[in-house]
Amino acid sequence: MISKEDIIKRFVSYVTVDTESDPNSDTTPSTKKQWDLANALVQELQNIGMQDVSIDQNAYIMATLPSNVDHDVPTIGFISHFDTSPDFTGANVNPQIVERYDGKDIVLNEAENIVLSPDYFEDLLLYKGQTLITTDGTTLLGADDKAGICEIISAMEYLIKNPQIKHGTIKVGFTPDEEIGRGAHKFDVEKFGADWAYTMDGSQIGELEYENFNAAGAVVKVKGKIVHPGYAKGKMVNSMYIATEFINSLPRLETPEHTEGYQGFFHLYSVKGEVEETVLEYIIRDHDKEHFEARKEVMQNLTDELNQQYEREVVTIEIKDQYFNMKEKVEPVMHIVDIAEEAMKQLDIKPLIKAIRGGTDGSQLSYMGLPCPNIFAGGHNFHGRYEYVPVESMIKATEVICKIAELTAEKYK
């Protein structure tokens, strides 16, 4: 049995190390503090008995658990990221352990009246009677994706200690900067050497995903003209008003707060404005490739129309693709999804096969030649103060990793 106490201790040791990434940095990793956990993970992998443990100049970690069977088995991998989102602070994380959750409100921070309530977060009721790890209301938790790292290392340790469980060669990989879209950019697929892999980066227990958004980022810059407001008639051009026109011209109901399932969106996540210049930052998301391309075209056309309206270039836009839907790369090798699904069923976990409304390292890795579906890591409400993870879900995810390894060895006897 995988110990609840060991899982909690390991997870808490990870989340109390600040590894927030920085989208404005050009280095890899984007923040020096990511090295603190990365170096500790290398030491831990060596301590539990993993082989070929390495960390490169960009903090990508790889390690191997050798096969313990005589027959040829495909090499499989498990991957997670150790950075946390810059959306909310990851400094001074103070995890709270809630034993035998009673289904009622959880007071995260009495002084600031911050409450994690099932009235708002209904998924909490799925975990009544279980042990939850929450924040103290002032930081995110970091279960995204330190829960995944905890599960992978715990699974490797369990397989090493229980050689009666037969498996082929297993590779593990931990990456920086996933939260800013760069997690796979410098991942050496050839060095990793797996035939396929799984990211342990999903949410609710049972999640199994091989579809994700096509994704792009857009930076819109609006140029104005500042003059003395007392003498501005016919001369001043207020960039903030033009930026407002741009914002209001996009479909108002095609935003994150109005969409679900396979519906795509435009998400305005940053506005920085003065009369002289306003900068809008968007992300563009859609599962359907044609709709995705159409969304980018809408933004470009809107830019052109505003420039025609003002009879000069007042708006510029830069659109950069970030990642694509992994479905195209995984469907030809659907047996890798089938193995994960069977592993869950054998552990009495109901598989929840659905599209990711986001992306993972796996989406980029799939296009780099490493097909890589995504499996639940257990956490909820990522990137904010209401993040939590049930310990029982982490234990189940750890068991799924072990079962996938076992089933793969059986399948290829």
Side-chain angles (χ1 to χ4, degrees), residues 21 43 61 85 140 185 332 408:
S21 47
Q43 188 63 55
I61 300 167
S85 171
L140 51 65
H185 284 193
T408 303

Side-chain angles (χ1 to χ4, degrees), residues 19 21 34 81-85 144-145 175-180:
T19 55
S21 47
Q34 290 184 62
H81 64 91
F82 49 77
D83 69 311
T84 61
S85 171
D144 180 12
D145 189 26
T175 71
D177 292 342
E178 189 268 356
E179 293 292 359
I180 55 174

Side-chain angles (χ1 to χ4, degrees), residues 345-376:
K345 287 177 178 176
Q346 289 196 18
L347 294 165
D348 296 322
I349 300 167
K350 182 181 178 182
L352 304 174
I353 299 176
K354 60 187 184 65
I356 308 170
R357 287 185 61 79
T360 70
D361 282 342
S363 58
Q364 295 181 53
L365 292 169
S366 294
Y367 279 84
M368 292 163 66
L370 181 66
C372 205
N374 190 43
I375 293 173
F376 72 93

Side-chain angles (χ1 to χ4, degrees), residues 12 168 216 229 251 314 323 353 370 395 412:
V12 168
V314 292
Y323 54 83
I353 299 176
L370 181 66
I395 292 171
Y412 288 90

Side-chain angles (χ1 to χ4, degrees), residues 241-252 282 302:
Y241 291 142
I242 302 172
T244 302
E245 285 185 65
F246 188 99
I247 294 166
N248 290 338
S249 296
L250 290 173
R252 182 64 191 91
Y282 282 89
L302 177 54

Side-chain angles (χ1 to χ4, degrees), residues 12-234:
V12 168
S13 75
Y14 298 162
V15 299
T16 47
V17 180
D18 180 10
T19 55
E20 184 177 322
S21 47
D22 178 7
N24 299 311
S25 167
D26 294 328
T27 62
T28 306
S30 61
T31 51
K32 285 184 179 179
K33 55 193 175 185
Q34 290 184 62
W35 283 104
D36 297 338
L37 182 56
N39 289 324
L41 292 172
V42 168
Q43 188 63 55
E44 187 172 12
L45 287 165
Q46 291 170 337
N47 290 346
I48 67 170
M50 294 292 284
Q51 302 296 307
D52 303 324
V53 181
S54 68
I55 183 167
D56 68 12
Q57 70 272 23
N58 298 307
Y60 285 78
I61 300 167
M62 295 182 184
T64 304
L65 179 61
S67 171
N68 64 1
V69 295
D70 295 330
H71 60 281
D72 290 335
V73 179
T75 298
I76 62 173
F78 295 94
I79 297 168
S80 291
H81 64 91
F82 49 77
D83 69 311
T84 61
S85 171
D87 289 351
F88 206 70
T89 181
N92 303 311
V93 173
N94 181 26
Q96 310 295 300
I97 313 296
V98 181
E99 300 276 5
R100 294 179 295 279
Y101 172 57
D102 60 7
K104 298 176 182 176
D105 287 359
I106 300 170
V107 178
L108 301 178
N109 191 300
E110 194 169 356
E112 296 185 33
N113 194 29
I114 299 169
V115 178
L116 179 61
S117 174
D119 293 341
Y120 195 84
F121 300 107
E122 296 172 2
D123 287 343
L124 275 166
L125 297 176
L126 296 170
Y127 307 109
K128 200 171 176 180
Q130 297 189 22
T131 300
L132 307 184
I133 304 179
T134 73
T135 74
D136 68 357
T138 64
T139 68
L140 51 65
L141 181 62
D144 180 12
D145 189 26
K146 292 169 183 175
I149 292 176
C150 177
E151 291 149 9
I152 292 170
I153 291 184
S154 297
M156 295 305 104
E157 184 176 42
Y158 189 78
L159 290 173
I160 289 167
K161 288 180 176 178
N162 292 275
Q164 73 276 11
I165 301 172
K166 300 304 177 187
H167 57 81
T169 300
I170 302 170
K171 302 285 186 174
V172 303
F174 302 140
T175 71
D177 292 342
E178 189 268 356
E179 293 292 359
I180 55 174
R182 304 180 205 160
H185 284 193
K186 297 179 180 179
F187 190 97
D188 190 336
V189 169
E190 188 176 347
K191 177 187 172 186
F192 193 59
D195 294 285
W196 71 82
Y198 302 91
T199 49
M200 302 298 298
D201 196 18
S203 180
Q204 179 180 337
I205 185 169
E207 283 186 355
L208 173 56
E209 302 154 325
Y210 64 93
E211 296 179 72
N212 60 277
F213 278 138
N214 296 291
V219 178
V220 180
K221 293 183 178 179
V222 185
K223 293 292 183 185
K225 190 176 289 184
I226 182 70
V227 295
H228 189 292
Y231 306 94
K233 186 173 182 180

Side-chain angles (χ1 to χ4, degrees), residues 279-296:
V279 179
L280 311 176
E281 294 185 72
Y282 282 89
I283 60 171
I284 306 162
R285 299 290 188 264
D286 211 296
H287 289 97
D288 183 277
K289 191 68 183 291
E290 287 186 13
H291 292 172
F292 174 62
E293 295 299 332
R295 287 185 185 282
K296 292 189 287 184

